[in-house]
Amino acid sequence: MERVTRIAAHLLPQERHAQANSIQQQATAAQGLPKVAVLGAAGGIGQPLSMLLKMMPNIGELSLYDVVGTPGVAADVSHMDSKPKVTSHLGPEQLANALYNSHLVIIPAGVPRKPGMTRDDLFNINAGIVKTLCEGIAKYCPKAWVAIISNPVNSTVPIAAEVFKKAGTFNAAKLFGVTKLDVARANAFVGEILEVDPAQVNVPVIGGHAGVTILPLLSQAQPRIHLPDAKAKALMERIQNAGTEVVEAKAGKGSATLSMAYAAAKFAESCLKALQGEPGVIECAYVSSHLTDLPFFASPLRLDQNGIAEFLPIGRMNELESANMAALKKELSGSIKKGVDFANGGQ
């Protein structure tokens, strides 16, 4: 309860650093490995995510931030005999130091879903948290890549974009809503059906990151999967409602924290590979997009050192997918508007 109370009351720290402008500049690759900041490191997703990131040899500094519990998490993961240096930052007054010189900022901060809750039920708390943290990012590491996990992602990413636009730091190529878990679930479920290693399966997932807005393109899966229409529809719905499946299975004691941390770590790994110049990095993510008439949309992307380098074609959809596309647009449009209105003082 203490964590929820302090998160809800989270405010951007007062400007206490006269030299802030002089230290906003990010470290270059020549100065060492990237700094990755996790905002919400002591939460249900943040803790396993921090552990997984500590295992990555291509991270120089792992900066852990939260409003409660950060020292314990940092002490714990710092005992792992792996390369990244761990730094701990507790409370709003230490947000600036957590963010300075970060190359990649990952935001799992906020409260989790509980039985009976939708992602929209989280909006009033999590929207304010994301807005505050992004105001900090705009001040202290404006050139960083930003990966948002905090739900509802369909609304929190537009909130972040509006904050960055107001600050004059918005770069559409570097702002991502993490939808990797939708892809992981689709790959896992298709792998089960085909009785193959899910790591060898690739199902593109487009749209958004909640319910009907999640559109797995099963017709484009590799290897191919052939299902009767009814079974294909059931599989699509299972992927769309997989988060609820976990919430109900945990019976009030959590949400999809472990699988989300895994997916976020995989996404972070791809971002770091691209940042460090590895070619051909492909990921699905929810981003500012021109592929549809919606301003934000999840789709496969090619990443390079500057962020999004290319929007890959969505490809041809079958009848079931086309029908879901029409439904998701209406739902996603409302979620985007809700985020934009919030950021502009509408709530």
Side-chain angles (χ1 to χ4, degrees):
M1 192 63 183
E2 178 192 8
R3 175 178 170 79
V4 174
T5 302
R6 295 187 66 178
I7 285 175
H10 187 280
L11 296 172
L12 187 70
Q14 295 295 317
E15 182 62 66
R16 296 176 181 175
H17 306 277
Q19 76 278 29
N21 290 336
S22 68
I23 53 179
Q24 283 180 359
Q25 302 303 315
Q26 292 183 296
T28 63
Q31 292 172 311
L33 294 171
K35 174 179 176 178
V36 177
V38 179
L39 308 185
I45 295 170
Q47 291 197 42
L49 174 58
S50 298
M51 181 190 72
L52 293 169
L53 293 171
K54 180 66 168 74
M55 297 168 67
M56 296 185 186
N58 54 348
I59 294 176
E61 178 183 346
L62 180 59
S63 174
L64 304 183
Y65 171 85
D66 213 320
V67 294
V68 62
T70 326
V73 177
D76 199 353
V77 298
S78 72
H79 293 181
M80 297 167 61
D81 58 347
S82 54
K83 190 175 185 68
K85 171 188 175 183
V86 177
T87 57
S88 173
H89 309 275
L90 179 65
E93 66 280 357
Q94 294 186 18
L95 178 61
N97 286 335
L99 291 172
Y100 287 143
N101 293 334
S102 293
H103 296 77
L104 172 63
V105 180
I106 308 171
I107 308 180
V111 296
R113 290 176 69 194
K114 296 178 181 178
M117 292 178 70
T118 67
R119 286 179 172 82
D120 280 344
D121 292 330
L122 305 176
F123 183 87
N124 289 334
I125 294 177
N126 289 357
I129 293 169
V130 170
K131 182 174 183 288
T132 296
L133 294 175
C134 287
E135 287 168 350
I137 292 167
K139 283 188 176 184
Y140 305 120
C141 55
K143 296 181 182 179
W145 293 34
V146 180
I148 295 178
I149 299 170
S150 307
N151 277 316
V153 166
N154 291 352
S155 299
T156 53
V157 172
I159 289 170
E162 291 300 305
V163 170
F164 296 147
K165 287 174 185 176
K166 287 180 182 178
T169 63
F170 179 59
N171 185 338
K174 294 183 177 182
L175 175 61
F176 307 90
V178 181
T179 61
K180 180 74 171 180
L181 181 53
D182 301 323
V183 177
R185 286 166 167 161
N187 292 346
F189 299 164
V190 168
E192 288 175 6
I193 293 169
L194 296 179
E195 298 183 337
V196 299
D197 180 358
Q200 304 305 314
V201 177
N202 181 31
V203 181
V205 181
I206 65 171
H209 184 56
V212 71
T213 70
I214 300 168
L215 177 49
L217 299 179
L218 298 171
S219 66
Q220 298 179 28
Q222 294 294 331
R224 302 282 299 194
I225 181 170
H226 301 282
L227 295 172
D229 289 348
K231 288 189 175 181
K233 187 173 188 296
L235 177 57
M236 177 182 290
E237 290 175 351
R238 187 187 177 199
I239 295 165
Q240 292 171 332
N241 297 316
T244 301
E245 182 179 314
V246 175
V247 169
E248 292 176 350
K250 288 189 174 182
K253 296 183 179 180
S255 58
T257 52
L258 302 178
S259 53
M260 185 65 247
Y262 163 81
K266 295 285 285 184
F267 183 77
E269 185 176 36
S270 291
C271 291
L272 292 169
K273 287 178 179 178
L275 268 167
Q276 294 169 324
E278 183 171 321
V281 177
I282 307 296
E283 277 292 350
C284 284
Y286 179 67
V287 299
S288 177
S289 174
H290 62 270
L291 290 182
T292 71
D293 55 356
L294 295 170
F296 294 89
F297 198 78
S299 66
L301 311 163
R302 181 174 62 83
L303 307 179
D304 69 8
Q305 288 174 302
N306 297 312
I308 300 170
E310 181 183 5
F311 290 82
L312 302 183
I314 291 176
R316 189 171 183 176
M317 291 182 278
N318 63 22
E319 186 175 341
L320 174 63
E321 293 159 355
S322 295
N324 197 97
M325 181 72 161
L328 83 79
K329 280 189 173 183
K330 181 178 180 181
E331 177 74 20
L332 188 52
S333 177
S335 297
I336 293 168
K337 183 178 185 302
K338 188 172 185 177
V340 172
D341 287 349
F342 177 88
N344 291 320
Q347 272 187 268

